[in-house]
């Protein structure tokens, strides 16, 4: 399991943000396989008291998880205490054997208390990591299912319950994040610039996916491209990018950010092969899709701004132009009324 997106590029979780996680396996599952996996994963997470639901039919199937407890709250004494409820009562002998297993490595439970019917047990651990390990791995005992595996009070639960996160099985986002994080790390002030731009984007409404505008991730691509165009960071030939992220890189975007109608489907010389989008010889002469605003990921064929329509694209461009004018005027005359 790897973290990617903003938390990996910035090095911390922004207030109000979520964490993007990806499960990387030896073989990347097909969309149908990923859809089945995230559906089972969401069901299993709900049994642990986690507010999870699967978005199985999405372009990238994902499990979306809401936080249960308030972020930033101090650790509670119950954060390391959980409960297992069996599908049927255990015998006294089986309960003793199960207790011995829980107290032994790798679970290392400190204390245990059974209810009268020996159908549920409350267990206390030294750390939240040990509690989550027990809740995740102990699913049955001697053929008896354990349908309920949860902290005693999820609202006071481990760290996993304190922030929202998404889980997918597509490693493309991880590879893009690795490249962008490595690129921006070459300039010490890049993170400050990125956080400022993201805050401006939310305030101005440019960052607002619900209304068909940009995601905050688009700001990361824009900052990386801007610093390269300004000569602060070097470029690299985009054709040198392999399927495996190199240790260090700089990139040249195939798109020019903030240019309207950058992918033209009417010009006869523009084909999918120009953008490396031809997946088969028969598509070499095919025309690429039309976008009103286009921001290209380092890896993959995705346009990060693919959901922005003509009206949204014009709004984004106007916001950037207006903000540029305000900054320019303030630099020339800080007392100008337009900068107030």
């Amino acid at each position: 399991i790897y973290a990617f997106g903003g938390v990996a590029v910035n090095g911390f979780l922004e207030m109000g943000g979520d964490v993007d996680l990806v499960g990387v396996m030896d073989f990347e599952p097909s969309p149908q396989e990923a859809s089945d996996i995230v559906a089972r994963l969401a069901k299993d997470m709900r049994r642990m008291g986690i507010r999870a639901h699967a978005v199985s039919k999405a372009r990238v199937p994902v499990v979306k998880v809401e936080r249960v407890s308030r972020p930033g709250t101090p650790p509670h004494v119950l954060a390391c205490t959980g409960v297992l409820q069996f599908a049927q009562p255990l015998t006294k002998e089986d309960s003793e054997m199960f207790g011995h297993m829980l107290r032994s490595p790798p679970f290392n439970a400190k204390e245990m208390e059974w209810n009268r019917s020996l159908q549920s047990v409350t267990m206390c651990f030294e750390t939240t990591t040990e509690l989550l390990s027990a809740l995740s791995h102990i699913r049955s005992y001697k053929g008896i299912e354990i349908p309920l595996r949860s902290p005693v009070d999820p609202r006071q639960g481990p760290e996993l319950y304190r922030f929202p996160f998404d889980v997918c099985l597509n490693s493309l986002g991880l590879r893009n994040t690795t490249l962008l994080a490595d690129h921006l790390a070459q300039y010490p002030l890049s993170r400050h610039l990125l956080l400022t731009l993201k805050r401006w984007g939310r305030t101005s409404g440019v960052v607002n996916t619900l209304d068909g505008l940009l995601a905050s991730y688009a700001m990361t691509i824009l900052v990386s491209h801007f610093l390269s165009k300004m000569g602060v960071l070097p470029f690299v030939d985009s054709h040198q990018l392999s399927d495996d992220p190199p240790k260090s890189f700089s990139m040249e975007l195939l798109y020019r950010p903030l240019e309207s109608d950058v992918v033209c489907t009417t010009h006869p010389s523009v084909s999918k092969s120009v953008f490396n989008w031809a997946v088969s010889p028969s598509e070499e002469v095919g025309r690429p899709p039309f976008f009103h605003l286009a921001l290209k990921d380092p890896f993959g064929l995705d346009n990060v701004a693919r959901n922005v329509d003509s009206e949204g694209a014009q709004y984004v461009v106007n916001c950037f132009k207006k903000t540029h004018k305000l900054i320019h005027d303030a630099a020339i005359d800080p007392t100008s009324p337009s900068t107030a």
Side-chain angles (χ1 to χ4, degrees):
I1 302 293
Y2 293 89
F4 68 100
V7 70
V9 174
N10 298 330
F12 57 84
L13 176 61
E14 296 179 72
M15 181 62 69
D18 60 2
V19 178
D20 295 311
L21 302 174
V22 57
V24 179
M25 298 178 282
D26 293 335
F27 298 95
E28 195 136 303
S30 68
Q32 183 57 52
E33 290 172 331
S35 178
D36 295 339
I37 293 172
V38 299
R40 295 199 304 269
L41 179 60
K43 181 179 179 181
D44 207 44
M45 294 175 80
R46 287 194 295 271
R47 290 182 174 180
M48 295 174 58
I50 298 175
R51 295 176 181 170
H53 69 278
V55 186
S56 304
K57 303 300 181 183
R59 187 173 55 89
V60 176
V62 63
V63 178
K64 302 192 76 67
V65 177
E66 303 175 25
R67 62 177 176 84
V68 179
S69 59
R70 292 177 58 84
T73 54
H76 194 273
V77 66
L78 296 178
C80 299
T81 304
V83 60
L84 301 177
Q85 182 171 322
F86 294 78
Q88 65 186 56
L90 300 185
T91 65
K92 183 174 180 58
E93 181 181 359
D94 284 344
S95 67
E96 292 175 352
M97 293 177 61
F98 183 80
H100 177 73
M101 181 189 75
L102 269 183
R103 291 188 178 92
S104 304
F107 302 116
N108 302 314
K110 294 194 307 178
E111 300 176 14
M112 295 178 55
E113 183 178 351
W114 290 87
N115 68 344
R116 287 187 178 183
S117 64
L118 300 181
Q119 189 169 355
S120 67
V121 58
T122 302
M123 48 194 182
C124 184
F125 295 85
E126 187 70 35
T127 65
T128 55
T129 302
E130 291 175 336
L131 169 61
L132 285 174
S133 178
L135 296 179
S136 302
H137 292 92
I138 305 177
R139 305 185 179 199
S140 64
Y141 182 71
K142 289 190 173 183
I144 301 176
E145 295 292 327
I146 308 177
L148 177 62
R149 311 182 307 275
S150 170
V152 170
D153 184 358
R155 294 172 299 177
Q156 307 292 350
E159 295 82 355
L160 187 65
Y161 295 73
R162 294 172 179 253
F163 54 84
F165 60 92
D166 298 340
V167 184
C168 71
L169 301 171
N170 187 321
S171 63
L172 197 60
L174 175 63
R175 289 186 287 169
N176 284 317
T177 294
T178 301
L179 288 172
L180 290 169
D182 191 19
H183 190 221
L184 294 176
Q186 299 176 55
Y187 179 55
L189 299 179
S190 62
R191 186 169 69 174
H192 302 76
L193 177 60
L194 177 57
L195 291 174
T196 301
L197 188 62
K198 284 185 175 182
R199 183 173 181 179
W200 167 84
R202 295 188 181 97
T203 303
S204 64
V206 167
V207 174
N208 187 350
T209 54
L210 294 179
D211 288 339
L213 295 171
L214 297 178
S216 62
Y217 173 65
M219 301 294 106
T220 305
I221 296 178
L222 288 173
V223 167
S224 181
H225 183 74
F226 171 76
L227 292 176
S228 295
K229 296 290 286 187
M230 296 299 294
V232 177
L233 294 176
F235 283 114
V236 71
D237 184 358
S238 59
H239 296 290
Q240 294 178 357
L241 297 180
S242 64
D243 287 337
D244 297 319
K247 292 182 179 179
S248 62
F249 95 115
S250 53
M251 69 177 186
E252 171 70 73
L253 296 179
L254 297 181
Y255 292 122
R256 292 175 296 165
L258 296 179
E259 289 286 341
S260 297
D261 309 344
V262 294
V263 181
C264 178
T265 60
T266 60
H267 198 288
S269 66
V270 177
S271 64
K272 287 186 177 180
S273 60
V274 173
F275 295 94
N276 295 323
W277 282 4
V279 296
S280 65
S282 63
E283 295 185 353
E284 287 289 340
V285 296
R287 291 176 179 175
F290 175 86
F291 299 118
H292 295 282
L293 191 66
L295 299 173
K296 177 72 169 57
D297 264 335
F299 285 106
L301 306 178
D302 284 345
N303 171 20
V304 176
R306 59 186 174 274
N307 295 326
V308 180
D309 59 16
S310 58
E311 183 179 352
Q314 191 59 53
Y315 178 80
V316 171
V317 173
N318 289 341
C319 282
F320 270 92
K321 287 182 176 179
K322 182 177 180 180
T323 303
H324 176 269
K325 183 179 185 304
L326 290 174
I327 295 175
H328 180 267
D329 292 347
I332 296 176
D333 182 9
T335 63
S336 173
S338 63
T339 63

